[in-house]
Amino acid sequence: MEYYFLALLGFLGLVAIFDIFVGVSNDAVNFLNSALGCRIASFKTIMLVASIGVMLGATFSSGMMEIARSGVFNPQMFTFSEIIVIFFAVMVTDIILLDLFNSLGLPTSTTVSIVFELLGSALAAAAYTLMMDGASLANVIDYINSSKSLTIVSGILISVAVAFVTGAVVQYITRLIFTFNFEKMYRRVGGIFAGIALTAIFYFLVMKGAKGASFMQPEWIRFMDVNTWPIVGTLFVVLSIVFHVLIIACNINIFKIVILAGTFSLAFAFAGNDLVNFVGVPLAAWDSYQEWQASGVAAEAFTMEGLLKPTVAATGFLLFSGFVMVLTLWFSKKAQIVIQTSINLSSSNSGEQEQFGSSLPGRMIVRASMGLGKVIHQIIPMSVQKGIDRRFEPKKLERGETPLPFDYVRASINLVVSAALIASATSLQLPLSTTYVTFMVAMGSSFADGAWDRETAVYRISGVLTVISGWFLTALSASTMAAIVCAFTLWGGEIAALILAVGSTFLLIRSNLRAKLDTVNMRADLDTRYDAKKVRELVDTKTDSIFAQTLSVYRRLVTEFLNDNESALHHVKSDSSDLFDKVSADRGLYYRMANSSFTPSKKDFDARYCYYRIFTNIREVGRSLQALSKQATDHIANRHRIFQGELKNDLLSLVSYLEKITTDSAGKQDIQTVLAHSNEAVELIDHMQAELLRRIPNDGISVRGSELYLNFLVFARELVNRFAIAAVLEQRLDKIVTESSKS
C-alpha cells in the first residue's frame, strides 16, 4: 500500500510541473497584454521584466498554500487514504480541464478550477465514505469548510464587478485629466501620476504582501505596520519629484517606467496569488504523507488534523516553481491564443475582425445602455457635455499610421489597478481570480475610454459574456469531473488510479503535440520587420493558396449541389466558413503590423495598404462563397428541384473553364492568370446569364431556381473581378518593392 501512495505522490509531483505549464499558459499572459498592446518596449524587454516579477512573486505565495490544505474542506474528517485520492482527483481534473480551455482560446480561472475541484472531490469522498458506513448523506456538509469556501467563492464573484467598476472609474478620471492627446498634460502632471502609480505598486505588493513572503522576518513586518503612512507619504513625494525632474530636464518617457513597473507588479501579484493553484495540492499531499509516515497508524485510520497546522513553504521550492513559470512564459505557444482574445476584446480598433459574434443578450445590453445614455445626456448641461466630449476626442492619426489596441494611459491603468486588487486579496490570503481581475479591469478601462463604440460594442459585450460564461462553466465542469474521478478512484483503487494517470497524461501530451495554433503568434508580430519586402512575401505565400482553395470549394459546391448530396453540402458550407475566417484573419494582420517594433517608411506604409486592399477584395469573395453555400444547402434541404440538362452542363463547364484559365503552365493556380483572361471569362458569364433568361419561359424554371442559378453566376463574376483587382494590386506592390530597394 505504501508503494501505491508513493506512486500517487510521484504522479502529483510530475503533474504539478505540467499544471504550471498549462495554468501559466492560461493565466500569466494576462499581465503581458497591456505592455504588448501599447508597444511600450520590445517583446524581450517586456518578457524579462515579467519574468523577474514572477520569480520574486513566487516567494510571496507561501501564505496562500493554506487554501489547498484546509481552505475548502475540513481535513480532520478524512483519513490519509482518502485525502491522497482527493488530491489525485484534483490534479487529474485540473490538467485536463485547463488544457481544454486553453485549446479553445478562452481565458478561464485556475482559481475557480482548483477551488471547485477541491470541493467536488471532497464531496465525492465524503459521500463515498458515508455510504460505505451506512450513514446519512445529510452529514456530508460536515466535511466541508463552509464558511471559508463561501468567502472564497463570493470573493471571486464580487471581484468581477469590483474589477470592472474600478477599472472604468479610474480610467475615466485619468482620461479626463490627460485626454487622448496627453503630451501637454503629461509634462504638467506626469510626475504626480507616476508617483501615485509606483507608490501604489510598492504599498500593495510589498507592504500588504509581506506577510505571505517565505523569507520575511517578523520584526520587518512589524516595522512596516507601525510606519505605514510615513513610508507611503515619503515615497510618493520623493518619486513624484524625481519623475517630474526626469520629464522636464531629461525628457524621459515616464509611461515606459510606469508600464514596465506595472507589468512587473502584475506578474509579481499573479505569482503570489496563483502559485497555490499549481503546486498547493502536491505540497499538501507531501505534507500529508509525512504526517502519516511519522504516525505509524494505518492509512485507512489516520485522520489528517495535521493539515490544520500553519506551514511555511520552503523558499527554494517556491523559487523552483517560479523558474518553471518563467520557462512557460517564454516557450508556451498556446499562451498566444489567450493573449489575442484579451487584446481583441479591449482593443480600440474596430476595423479588424471581431473575436466573437453578436448575441441576443449583448444586443439587449447595448440597446439599454444607449437608452440610458440618452437620458443622461438630457440631464447634464450642454456646456458640461461639450467640455467632457472635448477631453475624450480621439487622437488624430498621421497618414498611414495604424492605431494601437490602447495607448500608454490605459495600459498603465490596466496594470496598476489589476496589481493592486490582486495584491490586496493575497494579503488577506484570499485566492482571487487573477484572470477575472485583469480581464475585467481591461474591459472596464476600454469601456470608459470609448473603445466600445456602436461598431464594436455588441461584439465586445457578447465576448465578455461568452468568456464569463466559460468561467462559470469551469466551476460546474471542475466540480463534476473531480467528483467522478475521485469516486472512480476510491471504488477502483490502484487499477482505477493507473488508468486515470495514464489516460490523463496521454491526453495532455497528445493535445500539446497536435495543437494547431492558427491564431496570430504575438511574439512573431512584435519581432517581424513588416517592410515592403516582407509584405510582398506574405502576399506571395497567401494569395495563390487562398485562390486555389476558393476554386476548390466552389467546384465541390457546384458538384455536390448538382448531385443532390445534402450531407456533403453541409461539409462544403463548413469549409466555406472556415475559408472566410482564415481570409479575415489574414486581412486582420494589417492592423497587427503596427505592433512591430520596426519603424516603417512611406513605401512600407504603401505596401501595407496594398496588402489591406488585396485581402479586402479576397475576403469579399469569401463572404459571397459563404452566402452561396448556405443558399445552396438550404435549397437542397428544402427539397427544391436541382438543375438538369443544359443548365447543369453549363454550370459544370463554367467551373472547368475557370480552373483552366487560372492555371499557369506549371499547373499551379495563379491569380495573375485571372487578369489575363478576366474579360473573356466575364463575357462567358454574361452569355450564360442571357441563356438562362431565354430558357425560363420554355423550361419552366422557378423563380427560386433562377435566383440560385444567377447567384452561381454572380459569384463566378465576383471571383474573376475581385481576383483580377488583387492581381493588379500585386503588380503595384511589386513596383513599390522595387522602388523601395533602390532608395
Side-chain angles (χ1 to χ4, degrees):
M1 182 61 73
E2 182 176 352
Y3 293 109
Y4 169 59
F5 296 138
L6 284 173
L8 290 183
L9 283 174
F11 174 79
L12 292 178
L14 291 175
V15 168
I17 298 176
F18 281 106
D19 205 23
I20 291 176
F21 175 81
V22 177
V24 172
S25 296
N26 184 275
D27 275 8
V29 293
N30 292 329
F31 51 73
L32 298 176
N33 290 346
S34 293
L36 291 175
C38 71
R39 206 180 67 182
I40 191 68
S42 68
F43 181 88
K44 290 182 179 179
T45 300
I46 295 170
M47 289 294 290
L48 180 61
V49 170
S51 300
I52 296 172
V54 166
M55 286 293 293
L56 294 179
T59 64
F60 275 64
S61 65
S62 180
M64 295 295 295
M65 298 303 165
E66 301 297 329
I67 302 302
R69 296 163 58 91
S70 59
V72 177
F73 54 81
N74 294 317
Q76 70 275 15
M77 301 294 295
F78 296 96
T79 63
F80 172 71
S81 61
E82 293 167 345
I83 211 80
I84 200 73
V85 170
I86 289 174
F87 292 146
F88 172 78
V90 167
M91 296 304 287
V92 168
T93 304
D94 196 58
I95 198 70
I96 299 173
L97 196 65
L98 289 183
D99 191 71
L100 173 64
F101 272 82
N102 272 346
S103 299
L104 295 175
L106 287 177
T108 189
S109 171
T110 53
T111 304
V112 170
S113 299
I114 203 73
V115 168
F116 281 91
E117 284 158 4
L118 284 167
L119 181 62
S121 57
L123 286 172
Y128 183 87
T129 300
L130 290 171
M131 285 190 297
M132 290 297 100
D133 295 341
S136 172
L137 289 178
N139 296 328
V140 75
I141 194 65
D142 297 333
Y143 290 75
I144 304 301
N145 188 348
S146 304
S147 59
K148 184 64 175 179
S149 299
L150 184 60
T151 301
I152 292 172
V153 173
S154 60
I156 293 172
L157 295 176
I158 293 172
S159 70
V160 175
V162 171
F164 184 87
V165 172
T166 305
V169 171
V170 175
Q171 177 63 34
Y172 186 84
I173 295 173
T174 306
R175 183 65 71 191
L176 202 58
I177 296 171
F178 279 99
T179 75
F180 283 95
N181 297 282
F182 52 80
E183 289 79 6
K184 184 183 296 185
M185 289 301 299
Y186 164 72
R187 297 186 67 83
R188 295 178 184 174
V189 299
I192 297 175
F193 173 77
I196 293 174
L198 267 70
T199 301
I201 288 171
F202 179 83
Y203 173 73
F204 286 107
L205 260 66
V206 179
M207 301 188 70
K208 297 284 285 184
K211 295 178 182 179
S214 58
F215 59 84
M216 192 64 67
Q217 301 298 321
E219 56 271 20
W220 300 350
I221 298 175
R222 284 196 298 271
F223 175 79
M224 285 189 290
D225 287 341
V226 173
N227 300 282
T228 297
W229 293 113
I231 294 174
V232 170
T234 303
L235 190 64
F236 166 67
V237 172
V238 172
L239 287 176
S240 298
I241 294 173
V242 171
F243 286 136
H244 188 72
V245 171
L246 290 175
I247 293 173
I248 301 302
C250 305
N251 199 30
I252 291 178
N253 184 359
I254 298 300
F255 280 116
K256 187 170 186 176
I257 298 175
V258 173
I259 292 173
L260 290 179
T263 301
F264 167 85
S265 65
L266 193 50
F268 186 103
F270 158 77
N273 194 278
D274 273 23
L275 187 57
V276 63
N277 300 338
F278 313 135
V279 302
V281 168
L283 278 179
W286 173 248
D287 290 343
S288 301
Y289 178 78
Q290 289 182 314
E291 291 274 348
W292 171 66
Q293 279 286 84
S295 70
V297 181
E300 294 77 10
F302 181 70
T303 53
M304 297 306 306
E305 290 86 353
L307 291 183
L308 293 172
K309 296 183 296 186
T311 184
V312 177
T315 301
F317 180 82
L318 296 179
L319 286 174
F320 173 76
S321 301
F323 179 70
V324 176
M325 295 169 77
V326 169
L327 292 179
T328 302
L329 273 180
W330 284 90
F331 298 109
S332 171
K333 291 183 179 180
K334 269 196 170 184
Q336 313 304 327
I337 300 180
V338 185
I339 291 178
Q340 193 60 41
T341 298
S342 296
I343 288 184
N344 281 353
L345 287 177
S346 57
S347 172
S348 300
N349 301 342
S350 59
E352 189 174 353
Q353 180 194 17
E354 293 293 332
Q355 185 89 8
F356 296 92
S358 64
S359 64
L360 179 59
R363 292 193 290 268
M364 292 174 64
I365 292 173
V366 170
R367 191 179 300 114
S369 299
M370 291 176 64
L372 178 61
K374 291 179 180 179
V375 173
I376 294 175
H377 273 284
Q378 293 174 352
I379 298 174
I380 299 176
M382 186 59 65
S383 58
V384 176
Q385 288 185 36
K386 289 181 178 179
I388 293 175
D389 290 343
R390 282 195 297 269
R391 306 296 293 179
F392 280 85
E393 287 180 359
K395 182 179 180 180
K396 294 182 179 179
L397 300 175
E398 300 294 331
R399 186 178 182 274
E401 182 180 358
T402 306
L404 295 173
F406 32 76
D407 63 3
Y408 295 161
V409 174
R410 178 138 62 98
S412 302
I413 297 302
N414 287 346
L415 291 164
V416 175
V417 172
S418 298
L421 291 174
I422 295 169
S424 297
T426 304
S427 68
L428 299 173
Q429 295 189 5
L430 182 65
L432 198 70
S433 170
T434 55
T435 302
Y436 281 22
V437 171
T438 53
F439 188 84
M440 296 309 295
V441 167
M443 293 304 97
S445 65
S446 62
F447 171 73
D449 236 8
W452 297 7
D453 58 17
R454 292 190 65 166
E455 298 298 321
T456 60
V458 66
Y459 305 107
R460 304 290 169 85
I461 292 175
S462 298
V464 171
L465 294 176
T466 299
V467 172
I468 291 177
S469 64
W471 293 336
F472 289 104
L473 179 62
T474 301
L476 179 61
S477 304
S479 57
T480 304
M481 188 183 300
I484 294 173
V485 171
C486 182
F488 180 66
T489 307
L490 288 171
W491 173 76
E494 292 91 336
I495 301 299
L498 178 63
I499 294 172
L500 289 170
V502 173
S504 61
T505 303
F506 170 75
L507 290 175
L508 177 64
I509 294 174
R510 187 185 68 170
S511 174
N512 281 279
L513 289 179
R514 293 188 177 182
K516 297 180 179 180
L517 306 176
D518 293 329
T519 66
V520 60
N521 184 312
M522 291 297 293
R523 180 172 184 176
D525 275 350
L526 289 167
D527 294 340
T528 301
R529 179 188 174 97
Y530 286 109
D531 56 9
K533 183 179 179 181
K534 178 62 179 178
V535 171
R536 186 66 180 92
E537 291 176 0
L538 288 171
V539 170
D540 283 342
T541 56
K542 292 175 182 291
T543 52
D544 288 344
S545 173
I546 294 172
F547 183 48
Q549 291 178 57
T550 304
L551 273 176
S552 174
V553 174
Y554 185 52
R555 154 70 75 177
R556 289 168 53 210
L557 176 63
V558 172
T559 302
E560 301 302 344
F561 173 79
L562 295 176
N563 290 336
D564 199 10
N565 191 336
E566 182 181 357
S567 176
L569 278 176
H570 281 291
H571 290 293
V572 174
K573 180 182 174 184
S574 176
D575 290 343
S576 68
S577 297
D578 292 341
L579 179 61
F580 175 73
D581 290 341
K582 180 182 183 302
V583 175
S584 297
D586 288 335
R587 178 179 179 267
L589 179 60
Y590 169 75
Y591 298 96
R592 296 193 303 272
M593 287 177 183
N595 289 333
S596 172
S597 55
F598 162 69
T599 303
S601 66
K602 183 182 181 302
K603 294 295 182 183
D604 297 329
F605 276 125
D606 291 342
R608 292 180 182 184
Y609 188 54
C610 282
Y611 178 96
Y612 172 79
R613 292 180 62 192
I614 288 170
F615 279 93
T616 296
N617 279 280
I618 294 176
R619 190 177 71 158
E620 291 308 308
V621 176
R623 191 193 304 277
S624 298
L625 181 59
Q626 191 178 28
L628 180 61
S629 300
K630 182 180 184 307
Q631 186 180 4
T633 303
D634 292 343
H635 189 93
I636 295 298
N638 292 329
R639 301 296 180 263
H640 298 310
R641 287 194 299 271
I642 58 175
F643 309 131
Q644 301 293 338
E646 292 185 17
L647 288 179
K648 175 181 180 179
N649 295 332
D650 287 350
L651 205 53
L652 289 171
S653 298
L654 173 63
V655 178
S656 299
Y657 173 77
L658 291 176
E659 291 175 336
K660 178 182 177 181
I661 67 169
T662 57
T663 304
D664 60 18
S665 57
K668 175 187 173 185
Q669 301 290 342
D670 180 19
I671 71 170
Q672 291 297 327
T673 60
V674 178
L675 186 60
H677 300 88
S678 59
N679 289 334
E680 60 184 77
V682 170
E683 289 177 2
L684 174 63
I685 295 169
D686 287 341
H687 172 72
M688 292 180 63
Q689 182 175 333
E691 280 294 302
L692 172 68
L693 295 176
R694 183 181 63 81
R695 290 172 181 162
I696 288 176
N698 299 327
D699 295 357
I701 303 172
S702 68
V703 174
R704 183 178 291 104
S706 300
E707 286 285 340
L708 181 57
Y709 192 87
L710 283 173
N711 282 340
F712 274 108
L713 300 183
V714 167
F715 172 78
R717 185 195 304 274
E718 183 167 16
L719 179 128
V720 171
N721 290 337
R722 294 279 187 181
F723 275 98
I725 294 172
V728 172
L729 289 169
E730 279 195 4
Q731 294 176 357
R732 169 61 181 157
L733 185 55
D734 286 336
K735 184 178 179 181
I736 292 173
V737 173
T738 302
E739 293 174 352
S740 177
S741 60
K742 291 180 180 179
S743 58

